[in-house]
């Protein structure tokens, strides 16, 4: 066995070790949250809203934050789907030149990298300008900005895999570009759209920095778009910030709820995209 | 017939104008932040703002130096941890691991990307901070555990999936023939990886690292929860720091009555945005060139 084989061995061991560190940190994160969170999780946590003095350790749960987060994430995901689909279609050859499309893709990728706190700050500045208070609407707008690039790029990616023959067949039958895109291509990329929606939803529900200023926080479930709204990530953050151990325990439980939602989304995205694949022409 | 044509034309106009609007969003955000940050830059020269350490909003002194240093320390530490581990893991996934194993590992790593940053923050407070405190006490360093090191470790875990997914993609795009010709000359697999694959994939890997860096740079909540938030220039990795993002998150939206305070914070946001833009633009251009 000469030197280069020793080197090969050494690096292989290092590589396996590195992979173990990474998978280990995944399991450590999930494990720690699971163990600490499960102890504090109770039925009242998810069925009751925060009562007065909740943050001092009194009665209540985080239902307001769970519902608030769902409102925010649903609102933002629906809005960004509405905007993303036209943008993704517009990047196709039928509408713009490949060069222009690549410039737009670059700007979307750059947008994807913008820290979420920037969206929060920018959103809040705009809201101050318009005289709006922190509200569900503000949170939805900030989260939409955050989700938009993720969704467009995900849909764009699957659009590029649509076989050209499919579109050509539609055009040959006399369909316009609009009809081809929204009636033929959309059906073809449905699994891709579903996983893009779930991806963006997961990103939106977990983000705290962008809604820190824009969505506000409240103990109630909002009844209109202009009410402030609580959210799960911020509930975790604020509960962690209190000096009371029993409230901090609830932060772990809230983090566990958030983690479970996100993990369920990831798993369901895999299942769904398989289920809807039956509409796809191969 | 005519109606369908009109629909087609109108839909094109709508779609393209939405696209144009979103493409200029970055510019719009930067311009908005600049406009709001201008008052402070008119009073204090930008050079002084960036190099002064005195942060006393009530006296009108806004020195960003400690916060910039906080951000840089935490980010660099995270990259020092993440780069070697991620590179080794990416090479393993793309070159060595059997197909079945790869199909298990990759979704697991993608799972890391989906975990919300507050959850990482809670993990940091529960696991990383006590670990650092206890270990440091054993070697006679007194620290609360809330430190640059804690921030670095948590951030490193958060950028793992970003660096790995991009670099695995880049490494796998190296043509198979290149590997085969190296192997057929009698090189070992590691020699092939080192001298052929990594050399070809180098620009893409740099891009992956830059993307990870810019993500770590702008990360807010997780860092905020574990670095201790003491406005000082950290002198060791066991000391507390106060990154720029944490400063903005903690103070913006309140205390807007203090003159120029919001302007200063928005300047902080602008600095953050410009650095991140610069880095991610560079990374994307490298990746685009490689793709052609």
């Amino acid at each position: 066995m000469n030197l280069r084989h020793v080197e090969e061995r050494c690096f292989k061991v290092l590589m396996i070790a590195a992979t173990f560190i990474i998978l280990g940190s995944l399991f450590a994160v999930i494990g720690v949250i699971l163990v600490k969170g499960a102890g504090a999780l109770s039925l009242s946590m998810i069925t009751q809203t925060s009562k007065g003095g909740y943050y001092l350790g009194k009665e209540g749960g985080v239902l307001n934050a769970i519902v608030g987060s769902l409102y925010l994430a649903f609102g933002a995901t629906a809005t960004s789907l509405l905007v993303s689909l036209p943008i993704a279609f517009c990047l196709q050859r039928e509408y713009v030149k490949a060069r222009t499309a690549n410039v737009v893709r670059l700007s979307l990728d750059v947008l994807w990298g913008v820290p979420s706190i920037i969206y929060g700050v920018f959103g809040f500045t705009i809201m101050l300008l318009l005289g709006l208070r922190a509200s569900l609407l503000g949170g939805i707008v900030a989260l939409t900005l955050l989700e938009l690039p993720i969704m467009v790029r995900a849909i764009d990616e699957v659009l590029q895999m649509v076989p050209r023959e499919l579109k050509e067949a539609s055009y040959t039958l006399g369909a316009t570009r609009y009809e081809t895109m929204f009636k033929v291509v959309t059906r073809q990329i449905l699994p891709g759209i579903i996983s893009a929606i779930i991806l963006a939803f997961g990103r939106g529900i977990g983000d705290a920095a962008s809604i820190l200023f824009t969505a506000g926080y409240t103990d109630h479930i909002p009844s209109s778009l202009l009410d402030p709204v609580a959210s799960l990530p911020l509930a975790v953050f604020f509960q962690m910030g209190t000096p009371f151990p029993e409230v901090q325990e609830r932060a772990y439980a809230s983090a566990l709820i958030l983690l479970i939602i996100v993990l369920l989304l990831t798993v369901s995205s895999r299942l769904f995209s398989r289920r809807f694949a039956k509409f796809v022409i191969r | 017939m005519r109606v369908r044509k009109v629909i087609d034309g109108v839909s094109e106009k709508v779609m393209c104008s939405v696209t144009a609007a979103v493409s200029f969003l970055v510019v719009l955000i930067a311009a908005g932040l600049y406009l709001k940050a201008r008052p402070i830059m008119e009073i204090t020269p930008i050079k002084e703002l960036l190099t002064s350490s005195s942060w006393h909003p009530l006296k009108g002194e806004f020195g960003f130096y400690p916060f910039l240093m906080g951000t840089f320390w935490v980010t660099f530490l995270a990259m020092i941890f993440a780069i070697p581990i991620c590179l080794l893991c990416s090479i393993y996934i793309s070159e060595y691991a059997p197909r079945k194993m790869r199909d298990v590992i990759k979704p697991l790593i993608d799972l890391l990307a989906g975990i919300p940053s507050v959850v990482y923050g809670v993990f940091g407070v529960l696991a990383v901070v006590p670990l650092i405190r206890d270990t440091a006490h054993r070697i006679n360093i007194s620290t609360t555990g809330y430190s640059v090191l804690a921030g670095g470790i948590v951030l490193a875990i958060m950028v793992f999936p970003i660096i790995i997914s991009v670099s695995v993609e880049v490494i796998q795009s190296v043509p198979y023939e290149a590997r085969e010709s190296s192997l057929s000359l009698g090189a070992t697999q590691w020699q092939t990886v080192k001298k052929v694959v990594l050399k070809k994939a180098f620009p893409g890997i740099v891009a992956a690292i830059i993307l990870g860096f810019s993500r770590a740079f702008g990360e807010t909540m997780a860092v905020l929860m574990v670095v201790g938030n003491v406005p000082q220039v950290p002198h060791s990795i066991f000391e507390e720091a106060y990154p720029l993002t944490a400063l903005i998150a903690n103070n913006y939206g309140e205390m807007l009555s203090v003159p120029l305070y919001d302007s200063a914070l928005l300047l902080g946001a602008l600095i953050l945005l410009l650095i991140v833009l610069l880095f991610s633009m560079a990374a994307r251009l490298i990746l685009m060139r490689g793709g052609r």
Side-chain angles (χ1 to χ4, degrees), chain B residues 205-226:
Chain B
I205 290 176
V206 171
I209 291 171
I210 299 176
L211 281 182
F213 180 89
S214 64
R215 180 42 61 97
F217 204 82
E219 176 49 45
T220 309
M221 299 313 273
V223 181
L224 172 64
M225 289 163 83
V226 297

Side-chain angles (χ1 to χ4, degrees), chain B residues 240-286:
Chain B
E240 288 98 342
Y242 204 159
L244 200 51
T245 46
L247 174 77
I248 300 169
N250 273 340
N251 298 305
Y252 190 59
E254 297 157 22
M255 313 235 274
L256 290 182
S257 52
V258 181
L260 290 178
Y261 201 177
D262 70 322
S263 180
L265 290 175
L266 287 172
L267 177 65
L270 182 65
I271 296 169
L272 194 69
L273 178 69
L274 290 182
I275 293 174
V276 168
L277 283 189
L278 192 72
F279 276 106
S280 59
M281 195 92 95
R284 293 298 173 179
L285 286 175
I286 294 173

Side-chain angles (χ1 to χ4, degrees), chain A residues 107-114 119 149-150 203, chain B residues 162 215 284:
Chain A
S107 84
L108 284 166
D109 283 339
V110 168
L111 216 50
W112 180 83
V114 171
Y119 290 124
I150 300 168
R203 198 56 59 83
Chain B
I162 296 166
R215 180 42 61 97
R284 293 298 173 179

